Amino acid sequence: MSSQLQTKWPATRAEGLRRLDAFAPKMGAVYKAQRNYDLGPENRGGVSVLSPYLRRRLITEEEAVAAALSRHSFAAAEKFVQEVFWRTYWKGWLEMRPQVWREYRVGVERDRARADRYGDLGAALVAAEQGETGIDCFDAWARELAETGYLHNHARMWFASIWIFTLDLPWRLGADFFLRRLLDGDAASNTLSWRWVAGLHTKGKNYAARASNIKKYTEGRFDPGYALTPNPSPLVEDGPALSPTPLRSPEPLDPSQPSVLLLTEEDCSAENIDAFPALDWRAIGVLPLANERSQAAVSAKVADFDRGALTDAADRWSAEPKWIEPTPEALVAWVEGSGARQIVTPFTPVGWVRDWLDRARSDLAEAGVVLAEQQRRWDRTSWPYATAGYFKFKTRIPSLIGKLL
Ligand SMILES: Cc1cc2nc3c(=O)[nH]c(=O)nc-3n(C[C@H](O)[C@H](O)[C@H](O)COP(=O)(O)OP(=O)(O)OC[C@H]3O[C@@H](n4cnc5c(N)ncnc54)[C@H](O)[C@@H]3O)c2cc1C
């Protein structure tokens, strides 16, 4: 497998496209054979390392799937395509169950307060976050995450499983720890993957990390032997109802209104959103919200990547962008100062950006400003199918591709 140094992540669309192009030849048989191997941060040749770019739509899911299918048959690239659609599935699933995100946000603060109050829990949490538990693989992944902002998918699964079932730490604090450090941190993929490992997504089915599996898929870099809890039971929680609610219809934009374009980390390629009509643009603003991921400190690497991605996104529009201080008052003042009545922004899915915009809604309404969102066809077409489990959703992929590409 080829070596790629994974400590440098230029936050640009050009870099996302470069990585996409470089990995495209491997999206078939190579990915299928190698994707489960975590050979360390210097050796990521078996996976695409596209997630920080896809998460912010510096490159899109559509571009990733199209790249795979331009080089390989569907049968050969099926694994890669399915992984990209996992992202789409998680986004749609959470969109129809915003209560799961709300419960996570409240629950994580409750868990943090408990860790502050009880010394043993607090100390165990610090040891886990700093990679000082004495479980070598886990400690190495905690350090790798801090140093690089990335972990291989298999390492994320093992790490989450050890966090929950061996270290007996609250799953939400683990999800929060990931969000504060992952360059690709995403409300849907992260929260729901942690819930899946814990056994809360598919009721009664959890993911148990096993030493033999870790040894095999790290090619012997790690062997935790008997350190892991064997055959743990899934967590049981009184959680929110999981039945799907209708998808939110975004406020439609009015093409006759003078408008400002608002860019957030949710979509850093607004210029290629399908069906974006020509508008009377008055200004472009960027709203940096990396620190909204958590009430605890977010890593500087994440904030830097966000700033880079937003700078790059704005550079693709000709006007000089305004960096908006993240307060509703500053947002309203900017819109009013630009002489616009309408903010247009790419659709904001469930997550911290949407939470922030929801909090600003009353200030915007009071000032008579409409917040209109432009949704991508990819999401509009795929999300309605995320009503049940992924395996049902997966059967729709060929027909979705037929409609979307
Ligand atoms: C506990 C846990 C937490 C996670 N948190 C996040 C997160 O915050 N953000 C995030 O983008 N992914 C998350 N994932 C999913 C997955 O681990 C990463 O998307 C993947 O490792 C990114 O590396 P890559 O780009 O090399 O992936 P590749 O294997 O090359 O896959 C290509 C793309 O498909 C998507 N993808 C692949 N696997 C998954 C998956 N299981 N779920 C959703 N999308 C997937 C990603 O967008 C990825 O870039 C998490 C998984 C676990 C188990």
Side-chain angles (χ1 to χ4, degrees):
M1 291 179 198
S2 72
S3 165
Q4 283 172 297
L5 187 64
Q6 286 314 328
T7 47
K8 299 234 181 311
W9 301 85
T12 61
R13 174 164 164 77
E15 175 66 11
L17 289 172
R18 190 196 64 73
R19 287 178 186 228
L20 186 64
D21 195 45
F23 194 70
K26 295 178 165 185
M27 287 174 183
V30 174
Y31 184 76
K32 190 173 175 194
Q34 297 182 1
R35 70 194 178 95
N36 282 326
Y37 287 88
D38 176 6
L39 303 182
E42 306 294 324
N43 205 343
R44 290 272 175 251
V47 288
S48 71
V49 288
L50 284 170
S51 50
Y53 302 88
L54 281 166
R55 185 266 172 269
R56 291 176 185 74
R57 287 193 156 149
L58 280 165
I59 60 165
T60 62
E61 293 87 338
E62 188 175 338
E63 287 173 318
V65 171
L69 297 179
S70 70
R71 297 283 196 126
H72 311 276
S73 66
F74 179 74
E78 191 173 9
K79 272 286 156 219
F80 182 80
V81 169
Q82 282 175 353
E83 294 306 315
V84 175
F85 270 101
W86 256 110
R87 168 173 174 76
T88 304
Y89 166 75
W90 283 140
K91 299 300 287 181
W93 194 94
L94 192 61
E95 207 56 33
M96 283 191 261
R97 295 153 185 93
Q99 67 275 17
V100 171
W101 171 249
R102 280 197 298 272
E103 192 279 337
Y104 160 75
R105 289 290 256 190
V106 173
V108 74
E109 292 318 316
R110 204 174 45 227
D111 290 347
R112 207 188 315 281
R114 210 154 51 84
D116 288 344
R117 210 171 324 122
Y118 299 108
D120 285 358
L121 175 58
L125 182 64
V126 170
E129 291 198 348
Q130 296 187 349
E132 290 168 355
T133 64
I135 303 172
D136 287 355
C137 53
F138 184 94
D139 292 347
W141 293 320
R143 287 195 300 272
E144 183 183 330
L145 179 57
E147 281 161 23
T148 68
Y150 175 89
L151 281 183
H152 185 281
N153 180 57
H154 225 157
R156 296 183 200 207
M157 290 161 62
W158 295 320
F159 186 97
S161 180
I162 296 170
W163 178 286
I164 298 168
F165 299 116
T166 295
L167 300 174
D168 208 15
L169 289 166
W171 72 266
R172 290 182 196 80
L173 292 178
D176 176 73
F177 173 66
F178 265 24
L179 267 194
R180 287 184 283 121
R181 283 169 178 70
L182 279 173
L183 295 182
D184 63 29
D186 180 89
S189 289
N190 191 58
T191 314
L192 301 179
S193 295
W194 276 84
R195 286 175 51 86
W196 176 84
V197 170
L200 297 167
H201 182 72
T202 314
K203 284 266 181 283
K205 269 198 178 171
N206 55 337
Y207 176 76
R210 282 182 294 112
S212 57
N213 183 262
I214 294 174
K215 188 175 172 189
K216 174 174 173 189
Y217 286 105
T218 61
E219 289 194 342
R221 285 192 307 128
F222 299 114
D223 179 4
Y226 294 100
L228 311 186
T229 301
N231 308 317
S233 300
L235 297 190
V236 180
E237 275 187 359
D238 290 337
L242 298 185
S243 40
T245 55
L247 285 162
R248 184 170 70 93
S249 298
E251 185 80 35
L253 56 82
D254 177 351
S256 68
Q257 285 295 328
S259 304
V260 287
L261 175 68
L262 184 67
L263 297 173
T264 72
E265 65 188 282
E266 294 297 357
D267 196 319
C268 291
S269 299
E271 75 282 2
N272 71 21
I273 295 184
D274 26 79
F276 220 133
L279 290 171
D280 171 13
W281 293 120
R282 298 298 168 92
I284 295 184
V286 286
L287 188 59
L289 293 174
N291 289 329
E292 297 290 321
R293 287 178 174 215
S294 170
Q295 293 197 13
V298 171
S299 113
K301 281 194 175 60
V302 168
D304 286 351
F305 193 97
D306 261 12
R307 283 194 88 78
L310 286 168
T311 304
D312 185 64
D315 279 354
R316 275 175 267 120
W317 295 75
S318 38
E320 186 65 27
K322 163 85 178 160
W323 286 81
I324 300 161
E325 187 200 332
T327 66
E329 299 75 32
L331 180 63
V332 169
W334 168 64
V335 182
E336 288 183 330
S338 329
R341 312 300 308 157
Q342 173 171 260
I343 300 176
V344 179
T345 194
F347 186 87
T348 42
V350 170
W352 55 90
V353 176
R354 165 108 142 257
D355 290 348
W356 193 96
L357 288 174
D358 281 345
R359 289 200 297 277
R361 250 171 233 280
S362 56
D363 291 55
L364 292 171
E366 219 167 281
V369 175
V370 172
L371 177 64
E373 292 166 86
Q374 192 71 354
Q375 193 174 26
R376 285 183 185 269
R377 203 162 56 99
W378 186 273
D379 299 340
R380 217 172 37 241
T381 311
S382 309
W383 287 354
Y385 296 108
T387 48
Y390 178 69
F391 289 93
K392 190 167 171 211
F393 179 83
K394 203 168 78 168
T395 61
R396 302 278 183 176
I397 292 176
S399 83
L400 284 172
I401 288 175
K403 287 182 199 158
L404 290 166
L405 292 187

